[in-house]
């Protein structure tokens, strides 16, 4: 009798666990869209020389915050009158420099970036959502953002924009179905997720994240 009772109890426990798990998966599939094909993103600011010439100075390094129109370097090149002239390299927008490839007294090309920056106060998440899971996703929906580099911490987000083209549309070699051997591949659509202004983590562009979009 005790053995039968124990078996019955274990069966009920297993059924209860299975029921809870089934409800969890149903709830996740019905009310959320989740993907780990996502990263912290932002608008990359390219800082370039206005003319070709010798880079005579570059005053900034990675980590420096710079205001728009600030002079951060100078280059000696040909002016409009054809004579050598010193010209300033200025910051296009407010931002924090994240990478420099400037070598003082080295040659720089016109329009070729000598440094890159991001506005760290305006970072967001780009999540690539499968086209088969886009149904039900709308702008303004809440999003849970889990940053790989910060375990057990969740950021609040909101769906800001849903892409108007698939990610592969911007590929150097976009896929084509003009072949008899074409195999259909599920495409992904980039979804921009705005982060809460009260974000407590020092996230940086390129960090991997997992997002869970609340459909309801």
């Amino acid at each position: 009798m005790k053995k039968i009772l124990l078996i019955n109890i274990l069966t009920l426990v297993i059924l209860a666990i299975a029921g809870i798990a089934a409800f969890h998966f149903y709830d996740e599939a019905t009310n959320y869209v989740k993907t780990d094909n996502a990263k912290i993103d932002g608008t990359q600011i390219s800082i370039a020389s206005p003319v070709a010439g010798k880079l005579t100075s570059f005053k900034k390094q990675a980590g420096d915050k710079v205001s728009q129109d600030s002079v951060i370097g100078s280059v000696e090149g040909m002016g409009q009158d054809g004579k050598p002239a010193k010209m300033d390299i200025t910051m296009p927008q407010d931002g924090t420099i994240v990478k420099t490839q400037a070598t003082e007294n080295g040659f720089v090309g016109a329009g070729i970036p000598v440094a890159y920056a991001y506005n760290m106060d305006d970072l967001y998440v780009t999540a690539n959502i499968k086209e088969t899971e886009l149904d039900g996703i709308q702008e303004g929906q809440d999003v849970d953002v889990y940053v790989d580099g910060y375990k057990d911490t969740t950021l609040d987000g909101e769906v800001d924009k849903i892409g108007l083209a698939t990610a592969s549309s911007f590929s150097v070699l976009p896929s084509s179905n003009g072949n008899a051997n074409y195999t259909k591949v599920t495409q992904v659509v980039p979804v921009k997720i705005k982060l809460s202004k009260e974000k407590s983590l020092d996230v940086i562009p390129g960090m991997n994240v997992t997002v869970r979009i609340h459909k309801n």
Side-chain angles (χ1 to χ4, degrees):
M1 286 292 294
K2 288 183 179 180
K3 189 177 290 185
I4 294 174
L5 181 61
L6 182 61
I7 291 172
N8 289 337
I9 292 173
L10 287 174
T11 301
L12 290 173
V13 169
I14 292 171
L15 289 174
I17 292 173
I20 293 171
F23 175 78
H24 171 75
F25 286 118
Y26 173 79
D27 181 61
E28 288 284 321
T30 304
N31 299 315
Y32 305 97
V33 172
K34 189 173 182 178
T35 182
D36 60 1
N37 186 358
K39 66 175 182 176
I40 301 292
D41 214 338
T43 302
Q44 190 180 83
I45 304 167
S46 296
I47 305 163
S49 170
V51 295
K54 184 172 76 171
L55 185 68
T56 54
S57 71
F58 193 82
K59 307 173 183 177
K60 300 298 178 181
Q61 58 187 358
D64 289 343
K65 291 184 178 181
V66 187
S67 301
Q68 183 177 353
D69 296 327
S70 295
V71 176
I72 60 176
S74 60
V75 61
E76 189 176 280
M78 287 293 180
Q80 291 183 347
D81 57 1
K83 296 180 180 179
K86 180 182 175 182
M87 299 186 188
D88 293 331
I89 299 175
T90 58
M91 188 72 173
Q93 304 172 31
D94 292 347
T96 299
I97 294 176
V98 297
K99 180 183 178 182
T100 68
Q101 48 197 33
T103 303
E104 288 195 5
N105 297 317
F107 180 83
V108 294
I112 303 299
V114 294
Y116 296 92
Y118 284 90
N119 183 347
M120 295 300 187
D121 295 323
D122 192 28
L123 298 181
Y124 53 88
V125 170
T126 298
N128 293 304
I129 306 297
K130 292 179 181 178
E131 58 184 332
T132 53
E133 297 180 340
L134 274 179
D135 186 35
I137 296 180
Q138 300 175 1
E139 294 179 5
Q141 290 174 326
D142 292 333
V143 183
D144 301 322
V145 180
Y146 310 95
V147 184
D148 287 12
Y150 296 94
K151 299 297 182 183
D152 304 319
T153 306
T154 307
L155 295 179
D156 295 326
E158 179 182 298
V159 175
D160 188 31
K161 284 184 172 53
I162 299 171
L164 300 179
T166 63
S168 66
S169 300
F170 306 100
S171 172
V172 176
L173 295 172
S175 58
S176 170
N177 62 351
N179 188 307
N181 297 321
Y182 173 73
T183 301
K184 184 181 286 188
V185 177
T186 300
Q187 300 296 308
V188 295
V189 176
V191 174
K192 180 180 178 182
I193 296 168
K194 181 168 56 178
L195 292 171
S196 168
K197 292 298 182 184
E198 289 73 40
K199 65 179 185 295
S200 58
L201 304 180
D202 293 326
V203 295
I204 58 176
M207 276 187 162
N208 291 317
V209 301
T210 297
V211 301
R212 189 176 74 154
I213 301 172
H214 298 238
K215 292 173 65 174
N216 298 317

